[in-house]
Amino acid sequence: MSRIAEAFGKEKAFIPFITGGDPDLEITKELIIAMEEAGADLIEVGLPFSDPIAEGIVIQEANERALSAGCTTDRLFDTIKEARKTVKVPIVFLTYINPIFTYGKEHFMKRCVECGVDGLIVPDLPYEEKGEIVDTCDAHRVELISMIAPTSKERIRMIAREAKGFIYVVSSLGVTGVRSEIKTNVEEMTAMIREVTDVPCAIGFGISTPKQAAKMASVSDGAIVGSAIVRMVAANGKDSVPVVADYVKKMKTAVISTCND
Amino acid sequence: MENGKFGPFGGQYVPETLMNAVHEVEEAYEHYRKDPQFQEELEDLLKNYAGRPSLLYYAEKMTKNLGGARIYLKREDLNHTGSHKINNVLGQVLLAKKMGKTRVIAETGAGQHGVATATAAALMGMECEVFMGKEDTDRQALNVFRMELLGAKVHPVTSGTMTLKDAVNETMREWTRRVDDTLYVIGSVMGPHPYPMMVRDFQKVISKEIKEQIMEREGKLPDAVLACVGGGSNAMGAFYEFIQDKSVRLIGCEAAGLGVDTEKHAATIAKGSTGVFHGMKSLFCQDQDGQIAPVYSISAGLDYPGIGPEHAYLAETGRAQYVPVTDEEAVEAFEYLSRTEGIIPAVESAHAVAYGKKLAPTMEKDQIIVINISGRGDKDVAAIARYRGVEIYE
């Protein structure tokens, strides 16, 4: 069983996201370790890209901060490798296709295996273009995570059928960022996914409060939170580790509370 | 071309949220490109609204002065709104209307595509919002007001380098926010399929007219066609009908800024490498980690770190040749054409004029060069004055 499959095996999952290298790589390592301790079931790390078109302003700015602070693909791989000395939960990279393509997909996947990156989320690599890297991912057992959006409609089954690791269900139109209310009928989306696959579904985009996370986890296998955490890192810089850990603890408690509903 | 690919280039690298929207555009375009009524309406707009066909002007003084090939200028600057951009937006906004959309969004660099889109939207009664880098809204304040005058809403983009590439990012983000009633009207032969093909098809009227006009005037095909290249829409338009005519040299002129040996340029073919960005696999100026490089050119319209995938393919196969032209050469050509022929070209088009000046004297007197004057230079006068040390602001 892959590390990702194991992460979803037990209870509802809480999946935090941080941008790698923001505010620096040392803090990234500490955040990964602290988030696991606080109850994170899987950790998403953004490999920074200069032009993240699926991100809202919070994560865009985090990408800029990370790149100006000297984060490179190689340095982030090294940081993950360091964290992996103790961290057991799966780590997936969220990045764009160009950094993978430019690094060389074969070399990139080898580094993923070597450093303990279990999967990849690539927002600008839709189903039709996944041939770009999917064979190389498979050959190295790096799981390429599929995304399903509120506009996917009749595409849901097609995407879900070939999904690996977990399915990233995008809760809302638009880019990443905190939203006061999630209006999409995500239950309908997860139901359609369930018709064709048992691959776990986690819902992301717009979630920030324990209440939202609990609600989203109740209709899926887990909740993903990015911008809310990245905002804490932006506000607290090098002092963000305890703040984020505390938040992750609260959110994990909220998502597992749904089991008793 | 298959599945929107030009050899290894092209594709549809966009977020899942946009995939159905992109497919919807693809299907609609496949349908309407073969629809005689759509083509008739578009032709009518091009003729009676945009003022086509544009002139093919024999530049006699320039020809004599340079002492080589006969030089013709394709006068896209005489179109309504002052550039070739109108050809494409009339097509896309008409398509948006046929698709039942009520709102169009667009990116713009210097403002030419934004103004053209706002114009077509006003004409066809569509809501219009334009995204423009903050740096460019400052540099081209007059065009911002022009778009507002035409009823469009202009959003200054403050992310990243605050120029054209960031305007494209933000327009894509806006499209994912509101996709049902909205069409993204892309301004160049770039982005995900079907845009590179569709924009080329709307622009190929340029080469179709050049061919007819030159056959009528000279009774033979030109020896070379020159056009400036940013994303590459005017060049694709000027090249397309000549691709099969192997005797015609196709030459794209890229912005070399302060020089290709400096970091201040936008010469994608000379200095870029293959990558995937803005929905397409193509050539991009980028660093070793695949971070898109900040680029520079005096010309806001060529200030883009990538190039359309069909150009990448024409370059790779050797069918077209791409040459870098510096700011200094472009400004000198801007002034030269103004003085010699009484035509003030856009500083973008001046890049092609500059290379024409180098090329013509090396050719025989019975040979023919066509230079595409993609736009008029009124918008650039203040910037050129400043380049020459005269502090004029619009």
Side-chain angles (χ1 to χ4, degrees), chain A residues 48-53 55 60 64 72-73 98 101-102 123-124 126 128-129 132 149 151-152 154-155 159 174, chain B residues 5 11-17 19-20 23 159-160 165 169 173 176 274-277 281 286 289-292:
Chain A
F49 180 49
S50 53
D51 297 82
I53 58 155
E55 313 296 349
Q60 284 173 43
E64 284 173 25
T72 65
T73 305
N98 203 44
F101 180 85
T102 310
D124 60 348
E128 281 80 351
E129 299 292 356
E132 189 72 48
T151 51
S152 295
E154 74 286 354
R155 296 167 54 80
I159 297 167
Chain B
K5 303 264 166 137
Q12 288 179 318
Y13 300 86
V14 295
E16 173 59 24
T17 304
M19 280 309 284
N20 265 328
H23 284 159
S159 60
K165 106 181 146 68
N169 293 346
R173 290 181 184 125
T176 64
T274 305
V276 185
F277 181 48
K281 184 179 284 181
Q286 54 184 330
D289 269 355
Q291 309 296 346
I292 303 303

Side-chain angles (χ1 to χ4, degrees), chain A residues 7-195:
Chain A
F8 285 95
K10 322 175 276 288
E11 52 195 23
K12 302 279 179 177
F14 179 66
I15 304 174
F17 167 93
I18 54 168
T19 297
D22 172 35
D24 61 38
L25 287 160
E26 184 53 36
I27 298 294
T28 295
K29 189 181 92 183
E30 289 176 26
L31 279 169
I32 293 172
I33 294 168
M35 290 193 297
E36 178 183 50
E37 280 172 7
D41 297 284
L42 185 154
I43 295 170
E44 264 184 41
V45 178
L47 167 62
F49 180 49
S50 53
D51 297 82
I53 58 155
E55 313 296 349
I57 189 71
V58 171
I59 298 178
Q60 284 173 43
E61 286 175 356
N63 278 279
E64 284 173 25
R65 281 194 301 273
L67 290 172
S68 340
C71 183
T72 65
T73 305
D74 272 325
R75 284 183 195 144
L76 187 58
F77 269 127
D78 292 342
T79 302
I80 303 293
K81 197 175 177 181
E82 277 292 307
R84 261 283 169 244
K85 286 178 181 166
T86 58
V87 171
K88 297 283 182 285
V89 297
I91 296 175
V92 303
F93 267 169
L94 185 145
T95 191
Y96 289 77
I97 185 63
N98 203 44
I100 301 172
F101 180 85
T102 310
Y103 197 85
K105 57 185 174 181
E106 187 67 33
H107 187 203
F108 194 92
M109 300 314 157
K110 276 187 186 152
R111 289 283 277 154
C112 284
V113 174
E114 182 201 333
C115 303
V117 175
D118 302 283
L120 299 174
I121 303 169
V122 191
D124 60 348
L125 193 72
Y127 176 86
E128 281 80 351
E129 299 292 356
K130 70 176 179 173
E132 189 72 48
I133 59 169
V134 74
D135 290 346
T136 320
C137 287
D138 288 349
H140 294 273
R141 295 194 187 146
V142 174
E143 295 183 287
L144 182 60
I145 311 301
S146 301
M147 299 181 99
I148 285 176
T151 51
S152 295
K153 296 173 185 156
E154 74 286 354
R155 296 167 54 80
I156 292 181
R157 289 186 189 87
M158 168 184 88
I159 297 167
R161 243 178 239 125
E162 293 180 24
K164 301 237 169 84
F166 71 94
I167 293 170
Y168 192 129
V169 180
V170 176
S171 76
S172 314
L173 289 177
V175 291
T176 55
V178 170
R179 288 170 175 78
S180 55
E181 199 186 349
I182 293 165
K183 293 179 189 142
T184 310
N185 188 346
V186 276
E187 214 166 339
E188 201 178 21
M189 291 166 73
T190 49
M192 214 186 272
I193 294 169
R194 281 289 156 264
E195 287 173 25

